[in-house]
Amino acid sequence: MQAFQISAAGCAPALTETDCPAPGPGEAAVALRACGLNFADLLMMKGTYQDTPEPPFTLGLEAAGVVTALGDGAEGFAVGDRVAVFGGSGGLAEAGVFSTERLIRIPDAMSFEHAAAMQIAYGTSHMALDHCARLQPGETLLVTGAAGGVGLTAVEIGKLMGATVIAQARGQDKLDVAAAAGADHLIDASEDLRSAVKALGGADVVYDAIGGDVWKAAFRSANPGARLLPVGFAGGEVPQIPANHLLVKNLTVIGFYLGGYMKFRPEAVRRSFETLFAWHGEGRIKPHISHTLPLAQAAEGLELLRSRKSTGKVVITMGGS
């Protein structure tokens, strides 16, 4: 089979011929049909992601496909089941082996592309805004990087939860995407973020995937008692948080990492995924996929993320039905 792998530390990923894996105890073999790309894939390529496997390994944190075989003791699934998997790696291949604890059955009406695009972006936003920040109807939510993979889902879910959503993104095309997802107010990245948010009454919850100066401006735009979620650092700089400002304004900063929750609260992540898949079936949410490419163009897909030329998700497909 083909897999988009990193063979050794410091090596660029490449499409490689490798043996099809066999499932071990508690595992399922899955014929993969689609894989969602994430900023974390770029960090893994540099070896800077917190959960980078030891090489050789296959990139691709989230995927979807069909169960083809089960290992000893694997329960809850059958050969032929259509599933999504947040495996943490292994998704950019024609097949993979994953613990059944990582699988979730997907509805017949849901495409593999949508299933592969939903888990990390929607799961991060839903868990962060609902489980962690307890976003309430009528509150104001600020989303930075609002046309990106996680930012766009935060706009959509925040609006579903009854918040007034302020979306910040770079350029009119990306702002239009955020507006279509439900944003009430739009701020271009060229504008003074703090002043613009303050003019709109400040933010009760901040959802930031950029870091650096964007985080600093968002932090200073927060209302007293606000909750702030640093969910990523796409801008490259990890900000330092002044504790005295937390004290004076009664602010709460909540670190959130979906992969970490998968380790110590997997049942919470599974409930979130089930809720999101139900919302998808009801037509309440729909992944925005700006690019769909075949496995042979996985490198081009990752470059779209690196250069910020995509909106929402980039999905790689592996064929089949």
Side-chain angles (χ1 to χ4, degrees):
M1 71 170 194
Q2 290 189 315
F4 194 65
Q5 291 190 335
I6 292 178
S7 59
C11 292
L15 203 58
T16 305
E17 289 286 341
T18 186
D19 293 334
C20 291
E27 293 181 332
V30 180
L32 298 173
R33 299 291 184 253
C35 177
L37 299 186
N38 291 275
F39 187 75
D41 290 304
L42 300 177
L43 298 180
M44 283 190 184
M45 289 165 60
K46 298 190 293 185
T48 58
Y49 189 60
Q50 57 265 27
D51 280 339
T52 302
E54 288 295 322
F57 69 92
T58 299
L59 290 166
L61 281 77
E62 58 181 338
V66 179
V67 174
T68 57
L70 296 166
D72 292 341
E75 298 179 348
F77 295 89
V79 171
D81 281 348
R82 302 171 78 253
V83 295
V85 55
F86 174 24
S89 63
L92 281 173
E94 292 178 320
V97 164
F98 308 95
S99 168
T100 54
E101 294 180 352
R102 293 269 180 162
L103 304 183
I104 183 167
R105 192 172 285 102
I106 61 177
D108 290 341
M110 181 182 287
S111 70
F112 290 120
E113 291 82 2
H114 277 193
M118 284 192 61
Q119 298 164 88
I120 291 176
Y122 279 99
T124 294
S125 293
H126 182 247
M127 289 282 292
L129 294 176
D130 183 46
H131 182 80
C132 295
R134 305 294 183 187
L135 178 66
Q136 299 298 307
E139 289 189 313
T140 296
L141 167 67
L142 168 63
V143 180
T144 68
V150 292
L152 195 60
T153 62
V155 171
E156 194 173 3
I157 289 175
K159 193 64 179 175
L160 277 175
M161 294 177 68
T164 297
V165 180
I166 303 172
Q168 182 249 25
R170 185 171 298 279
Q172 191 59 50
D173 287 349
K174 292 187 175 182
L175 290 171
D176 288 344
V177 170
D184 298 285
H185 304 286
L186 306 172
I187 300 174
D188 191 272
S190 63
E191 299 179 51
D192 183 308
L193 180 63
R194 180 196 181 196
S195 297
V197 175
K198 282 288 191 182
L200 293 169
D204 302 306
V205 174
V206 171
Y207 183 102
D208 176 55
I210 306 299
D213 290 340
V214 172
W215 165 269
K216 294 172 187 176
F219 184 92
R220 297 180 70 190
S221 75
N223 290 328
R227 292 87 72 204
L228 300 98
L229 295 151
V231 299
F233 313 108
E237 179 188 341
V238 178
Q240 302 304 302
I241 299 170
N244 58 322
H245 289 201
L246 301 181
L247 182 153
V248 171
K249 292 182 69 175
N250 291 287
L251 302 177
T252 301
V253 176
I254 308 168
F256 179 77
Y257 167 47
L258 186 64
Y261 260 83
M262 199 68 186
K263 295 175 182 177
F264 73 88
R265 288 288 304 279
E267 74 284 355
V269 178
R270 178 172 289 277
R271 285 197 302 269
S272 176
F273 286 175
E274 289 171 348
T275 295
L276 292 166
F277 283 10
W279 284 358
H280 180 279
E282 295 165 3
R284 300 177 71 189
I285 57 175
K286 180 182 179 181
H288 174 87
I289 300 172
S290 65
H291 296 79
T292 302
L293 301 170
L295 183 59
Q297 294 179 247
E300 289 92 326
L302 289 164
E303 177 59 22
L304 288 169
L305 263 64
R306 190 200 64 76
S307 62
R308 301 187 186 183
K309 292 181 179 178
S310 61
T311 55
K313 296 290 287 190
V314 176
V315 171
I316 302 300
T317 57
M318 277 70 82
S321 59

